[in-house]
Amino acid sequence: MMLDSETTKTYTRPISKAWWLRDRGHFNRRYFMFLLRELTSVFVALYVVLFIYEIFLLTKGPDAHTAFRESLSAGPWIAFHIIALLFALYHSYTWLGLTTKMQAAGRGLVKIGTKTLPPILIALGSYGAWIIATCIIAYLFLTL
Amino acid sequence: MSDLRTIKITVLRYRPEEEDAPTEQTYDVEFRDDWVVLDALNHIKDHIDGTLSFRWSCRMGVCGSCGMMVNGEPKLTCAAMLRDYYPNEVRVEPLVNFPIVRDLVIDMTDFMDKLKAVKPWIIREEEKPVSEGEYLQTPDQLKDYKQFSQCINCMLCYAACPVYGLEHDFVGPAAIALGHRYNLDSRDEGNQQRQHVIASKEGIWECTYVGECSVVCPKHVDPAEAIQQTKVATTTNRFKSLVMPWGNKK
Ligand code: SF4
Ligand code: FES
């Protein structure tokens, strides 16, 4: 039925601020995990700020940098890094998991000839590339 | 079978000529084991309270008009068995994220406008005369879009989408999935005409991938997937046309 919204009196329900926690009285795990994923970016951003600050300190000489590094071994900083790491892992894991979505139905985006590559291969490929890239970066950091 | 049980059905009521905000009304309904929520609503309308308004038509999951919130979840009420809720009570509300017209009836104007905007029909640059016959398609080409063509416009995905709830300009799951369905159709040449709606800020880029649309879709259309595919395709096309501006075939 098409209405004339000008003349028909309708009622619009307000959206609760806590919609991501309780969905009409029921806990919706997917809404919650979604908001958590959005939140991950805050921690990643904070980490990046910290990292840039550290690079900036390098220009102030080795002493300033070493002192800063030592201050990072305090409990709260370690806790922050662990949380940031978990969030970064969660974000990367779900983000790469999305790669299956471009394959699962219809015309998959990665094809060999006329055959659509199975989604699981795409996911494994992305996770594999992620792990390898992480290892290379870790290696460079720890050895250089 | 005479194994009647009684279930409490609470319905959100809204009578615009009498009240400014919705109220609730609870009915006791004797139901048979094979009844769905829609049967209970019809029973109420026929035997208890003729003033209750709601939409339905086919009672078999094809017409897409009986979508409502059942205990907080968007459902086709003709596919929601009462026995799955018994002995708890059942709460029926109109689909969220849409204005209520009366009782369980929502105003779907916004959805219809968005559906129209993606031009969900086959567009040809030049129509060939009927005498030249049909546009042919192979089974493989049909497979490319078949899943996305199963949509029955029930709007459950719009009720499930918090992005649409918060941002009404969002074109939304079903409309994007249907636009994508025609873009994938080998007989169609309308991709360009749909792009400014689908590949816009209010289109695919508004989606932050909650994924709930695909969970509630009764036809397994998986609109979230259509959106992700379109995001990747749009990005690669844009990239290609930057790198090879002469190679823009589509
Ligand atoms: S995509 Fe699924 S949930 Fe959305 S309108 Fe179509 S059939 Fe309904
Ligand atoms: S009445 Fe047609 S889909 Fe439920």
Side-chain angles (χ1 to χ4, degrees):
Chain A
M1 178 176 60
M2 298 296 277
L3 291 171
D4 183 353
S5 345
E6 303 287 307
T7 53
T8 312
K9 178 180 164 195
T10 58
Y11 182 84
T12 303
R13 286 156 286 179
I15 295 180
S16 136
K17 288 225 163 28
W19 63 265
W20 49 277
L21 213 53
R22 295 181 71 71
D23 171 26
R24 315 246 127 209
H26 300 261
F27 177 69
N28 184 319
R29 191 178 59 85
R30 285 172 300 269
Y31 285 174
F32 180 72
M33 294 309 274
F34 158 73
L35 209 87
L36 214 58
R37 195 172 67 224
E38 298 286 284
L39 200 67
T40 57
S41 48
V42 174
F43 281 82
V44 172
L46 287 177
Y47 177 79
V48 170
V49 170
L50 205 66
F51 189 66
I52 293 173
Y53 181 64
E54 188 177 340
I55 292 175
F56 164 75
L57 282 183
L58 279 178
T59 67
K60 298 273 168 201
D63 288 349
H65 182 247
T66 319
F68 174 71
R69 288 223 59 113
E70 271 163 16
S71 70
L72 283 187
S73 56
W77 278 121
I78 293 183
F80 166 77
H81 279 91
I82 292 177
I83 295 174
L85 174 68
L86 290 178
F87 270 149
L89 286 175
Y90 173 57
H91 195 115
S92 314
Y93 174 75
T94 50
W95 201 89
L96 292 171
L98 271 186
T99 52
T100 59
K101 282 285 166 198
M102 60 189 208
Q103 284 301 99
R107 183 185 300 162
L109 287 164
V110 185
K111 280 188 154 188
I112 295 183
T114 56
K115 286 264 170 297
T116 301
L117 225 58
I120 182 77
L121 280 187
I122 300 291
L124 288 179
S126 334
Y127 288 134
W130 177 37
I131 290 169
I132 292 170
T134 310
C135 290
I136 293 175
I137 294 170
Y139 174 79
L140 291 178
F141 256 85
L142 294 175
T143 56
L144 293 183
Chain B
M1 276 203 303
S2 59
D3 56 335
L4 289 178
R5 288 177 288 179
T6 302
I7 191 165
K8 273 201 182 332
I9 312 262
T10 299
V11 179
L12 202 76
R13 307 267 344 235
Y14 173 59
R15 286 145 295 198
E17 65 285 346
E18 283 169 34
E19 51 209 4
D20 286 326
T23 50
E24 283 176 1
Q25 197 161 350
T26 302
Y27 304 92
D28 285 321
V29 175
E30 275 197 334
F31 73 102
R32 288 212 317 257
D33 202 50
D34 56 357
W35 276 24
V36 291
V37 173
L38 180 62
D39 292 327
L41 296 177
N42 273 321
H43 177 85
I44 295 170
K45 188 162 181 82
D46 292 346
H47 302 286
I48 308 175
D49 181 352
T51 66
L52 184 65
S53 300
F54 50 94
R55 284 198 186 101
W56 70 286
S57 176
C58 70
R59 203 200 169 275
M60 51 192 280
V62 224
C63 73
S65 53
C66 69
M68 296 167 212
M69 306 301 289
V70 180
N71 286 3
E73 273 181 73
K75 291 258 181 213
L76 291 182
T77 48
C78 68
M81 305 296 302
L82 283 172
R83 60 168 182 253
D84 294 342
Y85 298 95
Y86 183 84
N88 297 322
E89 70 170 289
V90 173
R91 239 190 108 77
V92 190
E93 290 177 40
L95 284 181
V96 290
N97 298 341
F98 291 97
I100 310 177
V101 178
R102 170 181 296 275
D103 297 341
L104 300 165
V105 179
I106 51 120
D107 176 9
M108 59 171 88
T109 313
D110 186 52
F111 170 67
M112 297 309 278
D113 288 346
K114 281 166 180 165
L115 196 57
K116 237 187 290 167
V118 302
K119 305 196 174 176
W121 54 80
I122 287 180
I123 298 173
R124 301 286 300 182
E125 271 152 23
E126 240 171 281
E127 289 283 349
K128 63 179 185 185
V130 180
S131 56
E132 281 179 35
E134 312 88 333
Y135 297 105
L136 297 177
Q137 192 164 59
T138 67
D140 261 349
Q141 288 170 326
L142 169 68
K143 239 194 342 212
D144 281 347
Y145 66 83
K146 180 141 190 248
Q147 170 185 332
F148 303 121
S149 71
Q150 304 296 305
C151 174
I152 55 172
N153 301 353
C154 64
M155 294 170 283
L156 298 195
C157 51
Y158 283 74
C161 177
V163 177
Y164 178 66
L166 297 163
E167 199 43 75
H168 264 287
D169 286 340
F170 180 34
V171 178
I176 296 181
L178 278 162
H180 188 53
R181 172 247 175 276
Y182 284 94
N183 284 342
L184 290 177
D185 194 314
S186 59
R187 299 163 296 180
D188 182 85
E189 295 168 343
N191 200 324
Q192 292 294 348
Q193 293 188 38
R194 296 188 191 97
Q195 273 322 70
H196 72 280
V197 182
I198 293 183
S200 63
K201 200 189 140 290
E202 293 76 33
I204 48 176
W205 303 113
E206 191 80 69
C207 166
T208 43
Y209 203 75
V210 181
E212 192 69 5
C213 54
S214 295
V215 175
V216 302
C217 175
K219 292 288 160 184
H220 308 291
V221 170
D222 205 344
E225 185 173 296
I227 296 176
Q228 299 318 307
Q229 283 188 359
T230 314
K231 280 182 185 169
V232 179
T234 308
T235 314
T236 25
N237 283 347
R238 200 158 287 172
F239 185 71
K240 267 193 215 151
S241 65
L242 273 181
V243 185
M244 307 183 292
W246 59 88
N248 204 355
K249 283 201 213 82
K250 258 211 161 172

PDB file of all heavy atoms in Angstrom, chain B residues 151-157 174 217-218 221 223, ligand 1:
ATOM      1  N   CYS B 151      14.464 -12.803  -3.762  1.00  0.00           N
ATOM      2  CA  CYS B 151      13.903 -11.844  -2.799  1.00  0.00           C
ATOM      3  C   CYS B 151      12.398 -11.669  -2.988  1.00  0.00           C
ATOM      4  O   CYS B 151      11.906 -11.544  -4.110  1.00  0.00           O
ATOM      5  CB  CYS B 151      14.607 -10.503  -2.969  1.00  0.00           C
ATOM      6  SG  CYS B 151      13.898  -9.199  -1.963  1.00  0.00           S
ATOM      7  N   ILE B 152      11.656 -11.677  -1.877  1.00  0.00           N
ATOM      8  CA  ILE B 152      10.198 -11.504  -1.942  1.00  0.00           C
ATOM      9  C   ILE B 152       9.781 -10.140  -1.379  1.00  0.00           C
ATOM     10  O   ILE B 152       8.607  -9.934  -1.061  1.00  0.00           O
ATOM     11  CB  ILE B 152       9.464 -12.643  -1.191  1.00  0.00           C
ATOM     12  CG1 ILE B 152       9.962 -12.738   0.262  1.00  0.00           C
ATOM     13  CG2 ILE B 152       9.654 -13.968  -1.915  1.00  0.00           C
ATOM     14  CD1 ILE B 152       9.168 -13.707   1.118  1.00  0.00           C
ATOM     15  N   ASN B 153      10.727  -9.234  -1.228  1.00  0.00           N
ATOM     16  CA  ASN B 153      10.424  -7.869  -0.752  1.00  0.00           C
ATOM     17  C   ASN B 153       9.692  -7.846   0.585  1.00  0.00           C
ATOM     18  O   ASN B 153       8.766  -7.043   0.776  1.00  0.00           O
ATOM     19  CB  ASN B 153       9.582  -7.098  -1.779  1.00  0.00           C
ATOM     20  CG  ASN B 153      10.287  -6.986  -3.107  1.00  0.00           C
ATOM     21  OD1 ASN B 153      11.463  -7.367  -3.226  1.00  0.00           O
ATOM     22  ND2 ASN B 153       9.598  -6.486  -4.107  1.00  0.00           N
ATOM     23  N   CYS B 154      10.123  -8.717   1.488  1.00  0.00           N
ATOM     24  CA  CYS B 154       9.407  -8.801   2.766  1.00  0.00           C
ATOM     25  C   CYS B 154       9.893  -7.743   3.764  1.00  0.00           C
ATOM     26  O   CYS B 154       9.266  -7.530   4.791  1.00  0.00           O
ATOM     27  CB  CYS B 154       9.570 -10.185   3.372  1.00  0.00           C
ATOM     28  SG  CYS B 154      11.267 -10.584   3.820  1.00  0.00           S
ATOM     29  N   MET B 155      11.036  -7.129   3.482  1.00  0.00           N
ATOM     30  CA  MET B 155      11.588  -6.047   4.303  1.00  0.00           C
ATOM     31  C   MET B 155      12.087  -6.490   5.671  1.00  0.00           C
ATOM     32  O   MET B 155      12.361  -5.647   6.524  1.00  0.00           O
ATOM     33  CB  MET B 155      10.584  -4.903   4.466  1.00  0.00           C
ATOM     34  CG  MET B 155      10.289  -4.198   3.167  1.00  0.00           C
ATOM     35  SD  MET B 155       8.903  -3.068   3.319  1.00  0.00           S
ATOM     36  CE  MET B 155       7.543  -4.203   3.296  1.00  0.00           C
ATOM     37  N   LEU B 156      12.194  -7.798   5.903  1.00  0.00           N
ATOM     38  CA  LEU B 156      12.737  -8.250   7.190  1.00  0.00           C
ATOM     39  C   LEU B 156      14.168  -7.729   7.346  1.00  0.00           C
ATOM     40  O   LEU B 156      14.599  -7.366   8.434  1.00  0.00           O
ATOM     41  CB  LEU B 156      12.760  -9.781   7.279  1.00  0.00           C
ATOM     42  CG  LEU B 156      11.447 -10.560   7.213  1.00  0.00           C
ATOM     43  CD1 LEU B 156      11.657 -11.992   7.698  1.00  0.00           C
ATOM     44  CD2 LEU B 156      10.362  -9.891   8.024  1.00  0.00           C
ATOM     45  N   CYS B 157      14.896  -7.687   6.227  1.00  0.00           N
ATOM     46  CA  CYS B 157      16.298  -7.247   6.308  1.00  0.00           C
ATOM     47  C   CYS B 157      16.396  -5.775   6.710  1.00  0.00           C
ATOM     48  O   CYS B 157      17.351  -5.383   7.380  1.00  0.00           O
ATOM     49  CB  CYS B 157      17.017  -7.517   4.996  1.00  0.00           C
ATOM     50  SG  CYS B 157      16.191  -6.915   3.531  1.00  0.00           S
ATOM     51  N   ALA B 174      17.874  -5.175   0.684  1.00  0.00           N
ATOM     52  CA  ALA B 174      17.156  -5.826  -0.417  1.00  0.00           C
ATOM     53  C   ALA B 174      17.290  -5.046  -1.716  1.00  0.00           C
ATOM     54  O   ALA B 174      17.505  -5.629  -2.789  1.00  0.00           O
ATOM     55  CB  ALA B 174      15.681  -6.002  -0.060  1.00  0.00           C
ATOM     56  N   CYS B 217      16.975 -13.158   6.620  1.00  0.00           N
ATOM     57  CA  CYS B 217      16.322 -13.311   5.306  1.00  0.00           C
ATOM     58  C   CYS B 217      15.724 -14.708   5.142  1.00  0.00           C
ATOM     59  O   CYS B 217      16.431 -15.699   5.202  1.00  0.00           O
ATOM     60  CB  CYS B 217      17.316 -13.057   4.176  1.00  0.00           C
ATOM     61  SG  CYS B 217      16.601 -13.373   2.558  1.00  0.00           S
ATOM     62  N   PRO B 218      14.391 -14.786   4.937  1.00  0.00           N
ATOM     63  CA  PRO B 218      13.749 -16.099   4.856  1.00  0.00           C
ATOM     64  C   PRO B 218      14.041 -16.814   3.542  1.00  0.00           C
ATOM     65  O   PRO B 218      13.758 -18.000   3.398  1.00  0.00           O
ATOM     66  CB  PRO B 218      12.259 -15.767   4.960  1.00  0.00           C
ATOM     67  CG  PRO B 218      12.147 -14.377   4.429  1.00  0.00           C
ATOM     68  CD  PRO B 218      13.430 -13.691   4.805  1.00  0.00           C
ATOM     69  N   VAL B 221      18.685 -14.937   0.547  1.00  0.00           N
ATOM     70  CA  VAL B 221      19.200 -14.065  -0.508  1.00  0.00           C
ATOM     71  C   VAL B 221      20.623 -13.622  -0.164  1.00  0.00           C
ATOM     72  O   VAL B 221      21.470 -13.466  -1.030  1.00  0.00           O
ATOM     73  CB  VAL B 221      18.273 -12.832  -0.673  1.00  0.00           C
ATOM     74  CG1 VAL B 221      18.898 -11.793  -1.573  1.00  0.00           C
ATOM     75  CG2 VAL B 221      16.922 -13.275  -1.216  1.00  0.00           C
ATOM     76  N   PRO B 223      21.748 -10.621   1.388  1.00  0.00           N
ATOM     77  CA  PRO B 223      22.016  -9.279   0.876  1.00  0.00           C
ATOM     78  C   PRO B 223      23.386  -8.750   1.305  1.00  0.00           C
ATOM     79  O   PRO B 223      24.022  -8.008   0.536  1.00  0.00           O
ATOM     80  CB  PRO B 223      20.902  -8.417   1.466  1.00  0.00           C
ATOM     81  CG  PRO B 223      20.088  -9.285   2.349  1.00  0.00           C
ATOM     82  CD  PRO B 223      20.553 -10.689   2.236  1.00  0.00           C
TER      83      PRO B 223
HETATM   84  S1  SF4 C   1      16.558  -9.768   0.876  1.00  0.00           S
HETATM   85 FE1  SF4 C   1      15.512 -11.372   2.068  1.00  0.00          FE
HETATM   86  S2  SF4 C   1      14.839 -10.333   3.965  1.00  0.00           S
HETATM   87 FE2  SF4 C   1      15.323  -8.722   2.473  1.00  0.00          FE
HETATM   88  S3  SF4 C   1      13.363  -8.247   1.475  1.00  0.00           S
HETATM   89 FE3  SF4 C   1      14.391  -9.801   0.194  1.00  0.00          FE
HETATM   90  S4  SF4 C   1      13.611 -11.778   0.939  1.00  0.00           S
HETATM   91 FE4  SF4 C   1      13.102 -10.249   2.507  1.00  0.00          FE
END
